[in-house]
Structure formats: structure tokens, C-alpha cells
Amino acid sequence: MSRRSGILEFAVLGLLRESPMHGYELRKRLNTSLGVFRAFSYGTLYPCLKTLVANGWLIEEPGHAPEDALAASLAGRRAKIVYRLTAEGKEHFEDLLSQTGPDSYEDEHFAARFAFFGQTSRDVRVRVLEGRRSRLEDRLDKMRVSFARTRERLDDYTLELQRHGMESVEREVRWLNELIESERAGRDLKGSGSGGPAQPSQQNNTSGASGNLPRAGDTPRPDTPDDTIT
């Protein structure tokens, strides 16, 4: 399994833990709530869902609205399939939530993990945040060394781009310090008490209805219906 497919499976299980959904609903939630998945396609989601069903972590059920089934029949299309998390799927997701290995600190995986911090125990949240901070501090040290070695040979625009990169990492480290301090003090972030994802500080260009993720600002892609997945 690739790292990205593993992150997608984790996010799908997490969203379906909140409520059953059909494929198009899942794609909208992944696009609008978890910005890391904005570029993925139905062709990526469909095999993921089939794998999770084959593993016994999801079950497929027909849609429950009679008018939807009738409309699909008249249009010559299949009724939408609703995906529901099984007991085994919930247990597997909870096991994934408890993991704090190096993968949980990487850029895309950390964003997905952070989106479900509202479902994660405090001690695990602290370990993941500390691991992420350590990873970024190492990255920042390397960036500073590289900047010092090459600044005399680079033009002003390239130097400014490198400064921007270092400042972005520095901002995230400061944000992580604030989060870790709050977690250690036993303070929940606003909006995280309802079981949904935690809400990070606005200084990190966050957006989205749930699981506001630490990422660079980007423009949402419009959701386009696609009949290849139900």
C-alpha cells in the first residue's frame, strides 16, 4: 500500500465513523474538509472503498430514499450505494488513531491525523504534535544551513523564496508550541469538544468546515458530479 492510499483509507474510515455516506458525499467531505485530498479523483476513491469493503471494515447498503432509487431507475443508473463502518472497521480506525510513529509527522499524514484530533486521546495528540515539531525543527535547521551556504550565489528572488519557506516552517513551529502547551494544560481547542476535529489557530491559513488543516492557502476546486462511483 502506498503512503497516500493509506492516508486516504484513514480519512475515509474517520469520516464514516461520523455517519454513513455514499461515494459522492465522501468525496465532497474529503475535498472541502480535508484540503490535503483536494486533488484526488473518483478513480482513486472507488478502489479505496472496495478495498475497505473487502477487508470487512465497511459494508455497502442501498440508498434509503425511495425517490432516489426511482429516479436512478428511470435514468438507467444504479441507485446510490451507502457505505457504513463495521465494528471491525471502527476497531481498526481506533487502532490507527493510537499510532504515533514517524509517518504521523509527515506533511500529508499529519494533516489527516490533525483533522481527526477530536477523536484522538490527549496523550496521543501530544505525542503526534511533539513528533511533528521535532521533524520541522530538524527541517528548519537544514534550511538555515543551506541558506547560509548559498545566499551569496543566489539572486534576490530565489533568496526571498527561501526566506518565505523558512518563515512558513517557523510559523508552524510556533503554532505547534501553542497547541502542545494547550494540550499539556488540559485545555481543549474551541469546537473540539463535540467529537469533531479540533480547530487550529487562524495564523496558519486554515479553512474548512471541519478539520481545519495547517496548509498553504489554496483555491478550492469545484465539486463535479461523476457517475463512476456511487
Side-chain angles (χ1 to χ4, degrees):
M1 180 193 306
S2 70
R3 174 176 296 174
R4 186 166 177 81
S5 65
I7 299 170
L8 179 58
E9 289 186 5
F10 171 83
V12 167
L13 291 172
L15 290 175
L16 291 177
R17 188 187 186 192
E18 298 175 5
S19 66
M21 301 180 205
H22 57 70
Y24 182 57
E25 288 176 311
L26 270 171
R27 182 174 185 261
K28 287 180 65 177
R29 290 291 305 278
L30 288 165
N31 281 342
T32 59
S33 300
L34 310 180
V36 67
F37 294 108
R38 284 182 177 175
F40 93 103
S41 66
Y42 273 118
T44 304
L45 179 58
Y46 185 76
C48 173
L49 290 169
K50 290 302 181 185
T51 297
L52 296 175
V53 170
N55 289 340
W57 297 330
L58 302 181
I59 57 174
E60 297 175 328
E61 299 176 338
H64 297 301
E67 62 273 16
D68 290 346
L70 178 60
S73 177
L74 292 175
R77 294 184 286 105
R78 294 179 298 166
K80 291 179 178 178
I81 295 173
V82 172
Y83 295 90
R84 182 184 298 274
L85 195 66
T86 64
E88 292 80 4
K90 181 179 180 181
E91 182 178 349
H92 177 62
F93 179 68
E94 290 174 349
D95 179 62
L96 294 176
L97 280 179
S98 69
Q99 295 179 12
T100 59
D103 280 351
S104 64
Y105 316 150
E106 299 299 336
D107 294 344
E108 289 190 348
H109 207 151
F110 173 74
R113 285 298 303 270
F114 190 88
F116 295 99
F117 261 21
Q119 303 180 37
T120 306
S121 64
R122 189 182 301 278
D123 62 321
V124 171
R125 293 198 300 260
V126 171
R127 289 199 296 272
V128 172
L129 291 171
E130 289 177 337
R132 175 66 175 175
R133 181 178 62 183
S134 177
R135 181 63 51 87
L136 289 183
E137 287 174 340
D138 289 344
R139 184 183 301 175
L140 188 58
D141 288 343
K142 293 176 182 177
M143 294 173 73
R144 286 169 174 162
V145 169
S146 176
F147 182 78
R149 288 176 177 173
T150 61
R151 61 183 305 168
E152 299 300 328
R153 302 194 302 270
L154 300 177
D155 63 78
D156 291 342
Y157 292 100
T158 303
L159 286 173
E160 191 61 31
L161 184 62
Q162 291 194 0
R163 288 193 189 96
H164 174 68
M166 287 191 294
E167 289 172 358
S168 297
V169 176
E170 288 169 349
R171 283 196 299 271
E172 187 172 347
V173 170
R174 290 196 297 269
W175 172 67
L176 289 166
N177 286 334
E178 293 173 3
L179 290 175
I180 292 168
E181 181 182 354
S182 294
E183 293 289 352
R184 288 175 174 169
R187 298 192 301 267
D188 288 324
L189 298 187
K190 183 179 179 181
S192 64
S194 61
Q199 306 286 331
S201 168
Q202 292 183 353
Q203 72 179 13
N204 294 279
N205 298 323
T206 58
S207 63
S210 66
N212 298 314
L213 305 182
R215 61 175 185 270
D218 50 6
T219 302
R221 297 173 56 189
D223 295 320
T224 303
D226 188 322
D227 292 331
T228 59
I229 186 167
T230 55

